[in-house]
Amino acid sequence: MTVRGMRLRVHPLTPLMLALIYVLSGGQALIPSLIALGAHESAHLLLALRLHARVDEIELMPFGAAIRLYELWETSPGALVAIALAGPGMNLAAASLLALGLYAFPAEALALIPLIRMNLAIGAVNLLPALPLDGGRALCALMALRMDRHRAVRIGVILGRVLAAGILLFTGFLCLSGERLQLGLVLSAVYIIASGERERRQSEGATLRAMLLKPDMPETPAPVRWIAISETATVLDAVREMRPGHTHLFAVMNASGGVQTVLTQALIMAAVERDSTSPLSSLIA
């Protein structure tokens, strides 16, 4: 589904998590969950649009929403951090305001307790510094100031897997202690593991989309990056070496280490549309 150029998608585990919440709570927590998730998603989206970020896709996920941007890593780290933390911030702010209402009118506001708990849960979980959670995205944006963006995302994915392993170990410990299986925790771990590799691919895909949308010759002078690459590398390997805001020239190296030819960025990007898995040697006339 597309709205104003933005794709809307629901993660496959989101309906399962909502169904599980409905079953375990007897339906009482479903509405608070939907309200908290809606507030979370709206905060992400509104701040992204306020900061004039180009939103590519919005995906409703078990613990919030993923707002994916065009030219992700051209967005300033400050903006990326703000957009990532807007969702948890909205949940925690909503929980605080509702708690004040509960304190001021305890008898009339008892129905707010499930909504307070759900906002606190979604906000707190999303602040964990591991991908694909919002805290992990904020951490990766800050780490990208000091290192290559792909390395930052890989670290975030590793932290996510460590978190998932910890959740599974804790679930196993509860089972050994005689507790019933916490299916919600298991699904949470599965979601984190399954989303990790996708986060890595999307960090590369954001750069690829940015390159595809830009002309080969920029309107204003741009830095030129020379990239030495093997003739056996694929066209997609070459694209992954590109960086937004630069014009690229590829020195294609043969087996003996000599420069066989030079390929332009325009030639590489045209080849992506034909077959991104073809070797660079196939582009040499």
Side-chain angles (χ1 to χ4, degrees):
M1 179 179 179
T2 303
V3 177
R4 297 181 63 183
M6 298 178 291
R7 291 193 300 272
L8 301 181
R9 184 177 298 174
V10 178
H11 191 280
L13 284 180
T14 301
L16 290 176
M17 288 294 290
L18 293 175
L20 184 63
I21 291 171
Y22 178 84
V23 171
L24 295 180
S25 68
Q28 297 178 359
L30 182 59
I31 297 302
S33 299
L34 293 174
I35 293 174
L37 284 172
H40 186 106
E41 181 180 3
S42 298
H44 280 309
L45 179 59
L46 290 176
L47 186 57
L49 296 177
R50 177 68 177 174
L51 296 176
H52 305 291
R54 296 178 59 196
V55 179
D56 176 20
E57 179 181 89
I58 306 169
E59 183 176 19
L60 186 61
M61 308 181 90
F63 301 106
I67 304 295
R68 300 189 175 93
L69 309 177
Y70 283 111
E71 303 179 0
L72 176 65
W73 297 104
E74 283 189 291
T75 306
S76 69
L80 288 176
V81 171
I83 293 169
L85 298 183
M90 173 63 78
N91 290 129
L92 297 179
S96 299
L97 291 175
L98 292 171
L100 288 176
L102 183 62
Y103 178 78
F105 308 100
E108 296 81 359
L110 286 177
L112 298 177
I113 292 179
L115 187 55
I116 293 173
R117 289 175 176 171
M118 193 57 64
N119 272 286
L120 286 175
I122 292 175
V125 168
N126 270 283
L127 286 176
L128 294 175
L131 285 176
L133 303 176
D134 293 323
R137 290 200 179 87
L139 177 62
C140 288
L142 294 176
M143 288 193 298
L145 292 171
R146 299 285 185 175
M147 64 181 70
D148 179 80
R149 64 184 182 277
H150 297 316
R151 183 184 175 195
V153 172
R154 285 196 298 268
I155 292 174
V157 170
I158 291 172
L159 292 174
R161 291 172 179 171
V162 170
L163 174 61
I167 292 173
L168 292 175
L169 287 174
F170 178 69
T171 303
F173 173 77
L174 291 178
C175 290
L176 292 175
S177 302
E179 299 287 339
R180 66 179 182 178
L181 176 64
Q182 299 294 321
L183 187 57
L185 293 177
V186 174
L187 287 177
S188 301
V190 171
Y191 155 70
I192 291 172
I193 294 172
S195 299
E197 182 62 20
R198 181 178 180 182
E199 290 288 331
R200 186 190 64 78
R201 292 196 306 269
Q202 284 166 348
S203 72
E204 296 178 348
T207 300
L208 175 58
R209 286 195 300 272
M211 296 300 174
L212 287 170
L213 290 172
K214 288 187 174 181
D216 185 49
M217 295 302 295
E219 296 178 359
T220 58
V224 175
R225 293 184 73 239
W226 279 91
I227 299 173
I229 191 167
S230 170
E231 63 180 351
T232 60
T234 67
V235 172
L236 185 57
D237 290 331
V239 172
R240 286 171 173 166
E241 295 297 327
M242 295 183 186
R243 299 293 180 267
H246 294 75
T247 299
H248 300 83
L249 293 173
F250 294 85
V252 182
M253 315 295 289
N254 56 29
S256 60
V259 177
Q260 187 169 357
T261 189
V262 174
L263 300 177
T264 65
Q265 177 174 316
L267 186 60
I268 295 294
M269 298 316 298
V272 169
E273 298 180 0
R274 295 194 302 269
D275 182 6
S276 63
T277 62
S278 61
L280 295 180
S281 58
S282 66
L283 305 182
I284 300 173

